[in-house]
Every structure is written in C-alpha cells, then in structure tokens.
C-alpha cells in the first residue's frame, strides 16, 4: 500500500529528551504505541506501517535563515527509521521548504508544490502539531484535491498536545501529552462546501444529522 505522510517540521530547536512523549492511550487517536516520540505522527505510524508498504514522508518546513528546521527534519527521519527497523516498510523522504511569508502568492506556491506529491489511490496522513498556523489550511485544500481527483484515502490527521509546566529550576517542561485525531473537522469543512439546503433551518437539521453519525 502507498502511504504519504505530511509532517510540519518545527522551527524551534527540539530537545530530544524533554520533547519525547508517550502518547499511548491519550486523547481520541486510539494509539497504543508505548514508545516515546518527538513527532506524534510517529506513534501512529508505529502501528500503521506494514512490511510491504511504500511510504513517502513529506517534511514541510519553513525558511527563515534562523531556524532549526534542517536538524529537526533529520531528527524526524532518525526517529521514523528507528521505528521502521522492526517493520521493514520502504520509506523515502521529500523536503518541501517554503518562505515564512503569509501572502496570497506564497499560499499558492505551497499549494502548487503539494499537489505533485500526491499519488493516485494513496493513503494520506498528516501531523499538524508544529509549523506555522496557515500551513494546515493549505494542506487541507491539497488533501481535498487529492480525495476528489486522485481517489486518495484520508486516513488520519493528528495533533499532539502538551502542557508546559514550570519546575523548580524555572524552566517549563512539556508534560501531560494528548494525541488527537482531528480528521473530523476536515470532513466537516468538506461538508460545508457540498451541503445544499433551501434555508438556514434546514441546513442546521442537516448538520445535526451529520453530528449524530
């Protein structure tokens, strides 16, 4: 099976010790992987990857000239490769870097760079824990395109949450990890674009039916 993984790479320097979290049994992602990871998607992939899978991991990074994106991308690759050592899936990596500019032109650039990375009939995963705020919005548009026109299967969009707790040394450490499957809002947004109703009252009834599923 072809799997394409999109992961937002953080710009800040990651602490390989403090930032590793165990997400097993947290949130609503139904993840049982008991290892610790810096990148939440890797806890999911530890359970979803299979020996015969062909995997393309797309590392979405931001260019500022003063960030740690490159070393964080290497950290992601090391972490996933270590997990995959016991699985044996074939993994290739793509690095998609764009400027840290929130202009219409740059949104179009990101979107157009994302589309050629999609493949017919692929399973799509995304980790939107890190990265700038607008990148998930553009990524969801690309997912919608792939689902409609390339028969892609949107498997899981996840978000890892931590709380930063200040300790006696004055530093704040990430604790209380939670792993969330945020795929439902993606489908809710798709529904808003396709739903038809004669008025607001009927539209709300249609929404009630959707949320009752």
């Amino acid at each position: 099976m072809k799997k394409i993984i999109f992961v937002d790479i953080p710009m800040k320097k990651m602490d390989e010790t403090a930032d590793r979290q165990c997400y097993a049994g947290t949130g609503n992602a139904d993840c049982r992987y008991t290892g610790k990871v810096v990148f939440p998607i890797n806890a999911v992939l530890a359970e979803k990857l299979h020996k015969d899978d062909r995997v393309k991991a797309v590392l979405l990074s931001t260019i500022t000239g003063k960030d740690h994106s490159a070393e964080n991308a290497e950290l992601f690759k090391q972490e996933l490769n270590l997990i995959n050592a016991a699985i044996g899936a074939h993994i290739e990596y793509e690095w998609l870097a764009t400027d840290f500019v929130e202009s219409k032109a740059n949104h179009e650039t990101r979107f157009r760079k994302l589309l050629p990375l999609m493949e017919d009939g692929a399973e799509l995963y995304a980790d939107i824990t890190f990265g700038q705020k607008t990148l998930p919005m553009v990524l969801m548009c690309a997912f919608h395109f792939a689902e409609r026109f390339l028969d892609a299967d949107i498997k899981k969009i996840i978000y890892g949450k931590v709380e930063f707790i200040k300790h006696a040394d004055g530093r704040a450490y990430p604790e209380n990890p939670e792993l969330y499957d945020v795929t439902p809002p993606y489908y809710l947004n798709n529904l808003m674009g396709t739903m038809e109703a004669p008025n607001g009252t009927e539209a709300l009834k249609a929404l009630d039916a959707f949320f009752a599923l």
Side-chain angles (χ1 to χ4, degrees):
M1 176 60 69
K2 182 66 180 187
K3 292 179 169 67
I4 307 178
I5 318 301
F6 294 86
V7 55
D8 289 353
I9 299 298
M11 289 181 281
K12 70 172 186 176
K13 184 175 179 60
M14 303 303 290
D15 186 320
E16 294 186 41
T17 300
D19 288 323
R20 290 194 190 277
Q21 304 290 328
C22 176
Y23 290 96
T26 68
N28 68 341
D30 194 29
C31 178
R32 296 291 176 261
Y33 179 66
T34 57
K36 290 186 175 182
V37 295
V38 174
F39 296 88
I41 190 66
N42 284 335
V44 174
L45 296 177
E47 300 181 313
K48 298 298 183 182
L49 293 187
H50 303 287
K51 183 178 176 59
D52 295 329
D53 284 342
R54 294 178 299 111
V55 181
K56 178 164 61 180
V58 181
L59 313 181
L60 305 172
S61 63
T62 305
I63 302 169
T64 68
K66 300 178 181 179
D67 59 80
H68 298 272
S69 297
E71 59 195 83
N72 291 335
E74 286 303 315
L75 177 60
F76 173 83
K77 291 165 66 175
Q78 293 170 13
E79 187 170 86
L80 182 54
N81 287 340
L82 183 61
I83 290 171
N84 186 52
I87 300 171
H90 175 73
I91 303 177
E92 62 182 32
Y93 295 93
E94 297 262 1
W95 194 0
L96 196 167
T98 54
D99 294 329
F100 197 2
V101 178
E102 303 302 349
S103 65
K104 178 182 176 182
N106 204 41
H107 298 327
E108 179 181 344
T109 296
R110 290 173 185 152
F111 184 64
R112 289 189 178 276
K113 286 185 175 182
L114 283 167
L115 295 186
L117 298 170
M118 305 296 181
E119 297 184 28
D120 286 323
E123 294 182 348
L124 302 186
Y125 294 79
D127 183 341
I128 61 172
T129 303
F130 305 111
Q132 69 249 50
K133 302 299 185 292
T134 56
L135 192 50
M137 299 170 66
V138 178
L139 182 59
M140 294 309 99
C141 292
F143 271 30
H144 188 51
F145 179 95
E147 186 179 26
R148 286 193 62 191
F149 302 113
L150 299 174
D151 195 29
D153 184 3
I154 314 302
K155 301 300 289 186
K156 203 173 283 286
I157 302 167
I158 63 99
Y159 171 78
K161 168 200 165 187
V162 294
E163 297 176 5
F164 287 90
I165 308 299
K166 184 173 286 188
H167 286 220
D169 62 2
R171 293 181 58 190
Y173 294 87
E175 299 178 9
N176 305 322
E178 298 279 346
L179 187 60
Y180 292 104
D181 180 353
V182 293
T183 316
Y186 165 79
Y187 286 111
L188 178 60
N189 182 66
N190 288 357
L191 176 65
M192 294 300 94
T194 59
M195 187 173 65
E196 295 183 2
N199 52 56
T201 299
E202 294 302 315
L204 287 173
K205 289 180 181 179
L207 275 179
D208 289 340
F210 173 80
F211 286 125
L213 295 176

